[in-house]
Amino acid sequence: MEPDFGALDDALDAADADGYLLDADASTSDQLYLSGFDASDPFVSLYTPDETVLLVSGLEFTRAKRESRADAVRRYADYDYQEKRANNDTATARDLLYAEFLDEFGVESVLVNERFPLATADGLRDHGVSVDVDDDDTVGTIRATKTAAEVEHVKAAQDANEAAMRAAQTLIEAATVRDGVLHYEGDPLTSERVKEEIEVTLLRHGCSLDETIVACGESASIPHDRGSGPLRADETIIIDIFPRDKETKYHADMTRTFVKGDATDEAREFYDITREALDAAFDALEPGATGEDVHHAVCDVYEDAGYPTLRSDPSTETGYIHSTGHGVGLDVHEAPSVSTNATDELEPGHVVTIEPGLYDPDIGGVRLEDIVVVTEDGYENFTDYPLDFEL
Amino acid sequence: MEPDFGALDDALDAADADGYLLDADASTSDQLYLSGFDASDPFVSLYTPDETVLLVSGLEFTRAKRESRADAVRRYADYDYQEKRANNDTATARDLLYAEFLDEFGVESVLVNERFPLATADGLRDHGVSVDVDDDDTVGTIRATKTAAEVEHVKAAQDANEAAMRAAQTLIEAATVRDGVLHYEGDPLTSERVKEEIEVTLLRHGCSLDETIVACGESASIPHDRGSGPLRADETIIIDIFPRDKETKYHADMTRTFVKGDATDEAREFYDITREALDAAFDALEPGATGEDVHHAVCDVYEDAGYPTLRSDPSTETGYIHSTGHGVGLDVHEAPSVSTNATDELEPGHVVTIEPGLYDPDIGGVRLEDIVVVTEDGYENFTDYPLDFEL
């Protein structure tokens, strides 16, 4: 099922632009989505209401013709790039190349995304091409609404994610405690060891990931701290796993928080209130609600319980210090946002995380995160993993 | 050992710019290098000859202060971002934020890299900040010369790489052949299975990677084809592994080509000539030689043997259809290039690959790749792995 690019046609029309241009490698998900071509070096995609055309190096030409969703593929040699390069510096040769490519397709004005490379834009402008930034992130907005096939890709990645979380939880459950430190098979059980188990499990399930968070104690109180060193008993351990399916390139995302042994009263309250916050978010989540509505439902719970949030104190370093969720797809963080100022309505097909949490260096951190798809009459939670706490 | 940013001071001086600005996440290696901060969401780094300052979201503030190499860290709340955001759209609020940040440090003109985001540049220009592209890729040029510590990081990644290649070769050696297809433990041995073995081995050695190439037969004739499906006997199998150390973030890179059974005469000739090309490249490789000199030495061997190259025919799809090598560091492909038009001299501390190869859909592909560091009197080859062919 092809995505619906109608909104991009409308954006081009509104901006009076002939085409939408991307200059990026496939790690830029807009590029992967629009071109259907997975390449690790930058290439150019031109979308017009009539056709999608790629401009690639000779090295990628055969594969681009075979694998991309483009209607046509051009390569540098089609525009005598070697000769251009021999007579000019790299930047000038590139500018000439891109200008000739656009000229072939009659494109004199392009719309680009916010992170379009400045050098390419300035070069095209020098050649009389009008380059305007699409402040509305139209491609990102199209990507936010998943087709049925994309929803299945996320679900498959989440299945792998749950296997990995199970492997991590099993290690912690099997650990013994010696001098306050978790041990497994005679050695201290470290954050690194648990991450390795998670990542090998994901690989065996066809997924990869760059980072995993297994953060204990004070580390757990810093939301993006990945964690390191021996895990300790009676402290909170946040495990946040966000794998990417190697084949489909779609992500999943889930967080659980465990304590081996007994949580402190403060940490248990963190956990209990965060479960309430999770429920409150789900109560608010439905098509027509905004991301901000859902985020405010979470802030209400925390503030009512006496914890600071970024809403009540924008400079707080403890309490609820991040947003409630984000879209998940080709990027692990994408539209729509579930946060302050997210005033667009949530729509069926939006895949988002819901991940309230509380943080304090003196107590640790607790975060609980599920991943769901908004449906016509509410939402469907993909996450099939228990909310265990003390192990 | 800190890198030497003197060349950046010179570039700022030559461009009459107050500072060098980055707006990127840490997957942009210039950002990771300059900031020393590994974050998955975009943030801003400002380098001036006096200090390096980061601007990060509240979520990353604590970690940035603790982990980055910056002299100072600012967060959005320092410039009342929430208020700006409440009264403006995202793009306008961002532009105001960045302009105030630069103003605090007295910066009215910045130099940026080629891929600096257009929206940020246009926004700063609207606020009177002069934004110029550094066409010389000064930060990339600084990164090309590795410190002793960086060389050790690459060597460590290469050690892991060799363990992974060994695991792959062992699988292929242990395979049996049934109806022309490799089998292992009763099942067809697929490209995917070999990649899984490689990637699990890398994980156990502290490395990760997004992609591995295990490409057989016609797939091997397309240089960037990752390969899929059952491996076949008597056909070339290219294995190209480019892991990244998860801790240091430095890469290694190595390619070997195997045939299970008997290579065709044509494939054996591909292999023999490619070994000659590898030797010719090493004969040419020394400080003072250019990347182009080394590349031409390889092209000479191939053309003398009657094979087309991109030098002799820029539109050829068979023969030697890529460049000879590239720098390796935080990026798997970085400066310096070992290719046509690489006219800068190679210098001690440059870490590069040497990877000649031949490709033809009717024959398959052969590529042999080592990774080396240029030294005062030649080069040191990090690669300690045999050049086996028929297994």
Side-chain angles (χ1 to χ4, degrees), chain B residues 366-383:
Chain B
V366 167
R367 182 167 64 254
L368 299 174
E369 176 185 31
D370 281 2
I371 183 168
V372 310
V373 61
V374 179
T375 58
E376 293 292 343
D377 52 3
Y379 67 92
E380 178 195 346
N381 193 335
F382 299 159
T383 319

Side-chain angles (χ1 to χ4, degrees), chain A residues 133-149:
Chain A
V133 172
D134 172 27
D135 282 330
D136 295 328
D137 187 20
T138 304
V139 177
T141 303
I142 294 170
R143 283 172 45 210
T145 301
K146 270 66 181 175
T147 65

Side-chain angles (χ1 to χ4, degrees), chain A residues 86-99:
Chain A
N87 298 324
N88 300 282
D89 62 33
T90 313
T92 306
R94 176 201 61 218
D95 294 347
L96 288 165
L97 171 72
Y98 291 177

